Amino acid sequence: MREEDKQLTFKELFSENYSRLYYVALYLLNDSETARDAVYDSFATVWEEFRKESNPPKYNYTYLYKVVHSHCVDLLRHQNVHNKYAMLYKQLHDDGLLYDDDDKDSRLETIYKVLEEMPPRTRFIMEQCYFEDKKYVEVAEILGLSRDGIRAQVMKGLEMLRNVFSVKYKKGQ
């Protein structure tokens, strides 16, 4: 297929499906600008596949829906991680662990030093839960432990961090 024919075919695919896919993204993301970007980005991904093929496949709405849906879910996950870091920052600030930017590097060094001193299993679990954003169930599956076993290890790791920073934590706060 010639390049001009590919472009024309793709433009038709875009114009036939953009509107419905935009409303799918809008429903999932609840933001028109982000929904528009998600659909455009999804079509950009499809175009990269489309143009590589000498005889591109026929893409149907279902396939395009899955691409857009997947992209929206990725955006929501990213936003969720961003929100978790914001909540963690607020919690650390409220607990008195964050003072000013001058102490930031030394506090991070202390956190990494405490992580290195943790038992290997506890350190692995903390890294998976806090750096890789995995749920307790996912880490439990990796290690062959129960969800409660993972939770206990996380509590142990957090206790080590609190001890180093001399934060008094009362259960239920």
Side-chain angles (χ1 to χ4, degrees):
M1 182 181 272
R2 294 180 322 151
E3 186 67 26
E4 296 84 30
D5 293 337
K6 283 184 184 180
Q7 289 177 0
L8 182 61
T9 303
F10 193 78
K11 283 181 184 178
E12 289 173 7
L13 180 70
F14 180 85
S15 62
E16 289 172 5
N17 293 287
Y18 174 81
S19 189
R20 289 191 299 173
L21 294 170
Y22 167 76
Y23 286 110
V24 167
L26 182 61
Y27 176 77
L28 292 170
L29 301 171
N30 205 21
D31 178 50
S32 62
E33 192 73 27
T34 308
R36 191 175 311 118
D37 289 345
V39 176
Y40 280 123
D41 290 347
S42 297
F43 269 103
T45 301
V46 172
W47 168 248
E48 290 302 317
E49 296 171 13
F50 191 85
R51 72 180 201 140
K52 288 179 186 175
E53 300 291 326
S54 58
N55 194 12
K58 284 275 192 183
Y59 291 106
N60 60 20
Y61 175 76
T62 305
Y63 175 78
L64 296 172
Y65 172 87
K66 287 181 181 179
V67 172
V68 169
H69 185 269
S70 177
H71 190 73
C72 290
V73 168
D74 288 345
L75 288 171
L76 290 170
R77 283 187 181 140
H78 177 75
Q79 184 62 41
N80 189 26
V81 169
H82 177 77
N83 291 343
K84 282 183 180 181
Y85 278 113
M87 287 175 22
L88 177 62
Y89 179 83
K90 183 184 179 319
Q91 181 181 356
L92 290 173
H93 184 272
D94 292 347
D95 288 346
L97 293 177
L98 299 178
Y99 304 105
D100 55 37
D101 286 342
D102 296 338
D103 293 336
K104 180 179 170 184
D105 291 336
S106 65
R107 285 191 312 275
L108 284 174
E109 281 182 33
T110 303
I111 289 171
Y112 285 120
K113 184 184 277 186
V114 171
L115 276 170
E116 289 175 13
E117 293 171 0
M118 288 180 184
R121 178 179 282 183
T122 304
R123 180 177 60 243
F124 178 80
I125 291 170
M126 294 294 286
E127 289 170 348
Q128 292 298 303
C129 291
Y130 288 97
F131 297 139
E132 300 296 325
D133 196 39
K134 291 188 178 170
K135 297 182 182 338
Y136 290 0
V137 174
E138 294 172 312
V139 179
E141 197 173 286
I142 292 170
L143 294 176
L145 297 173
S146 70
R147 182 184 177 282
D148 289 335
I150 299 300
R151 183 180 177 283
Q153 291 292 317
V154 168
M155 294 297 115
K156 180 179 176 182
L158 291 175
E159 181 65 29
M160 291 176 75
L161 286 167
R162 285 187 200 102
N163 288 340
V164 167
F165 287 103
S166 301
V167 174
K168 304 296 183 216
Y169 177 76
K170 293 180 184 168
K171 201 170 194 173
Q173 283 186 331

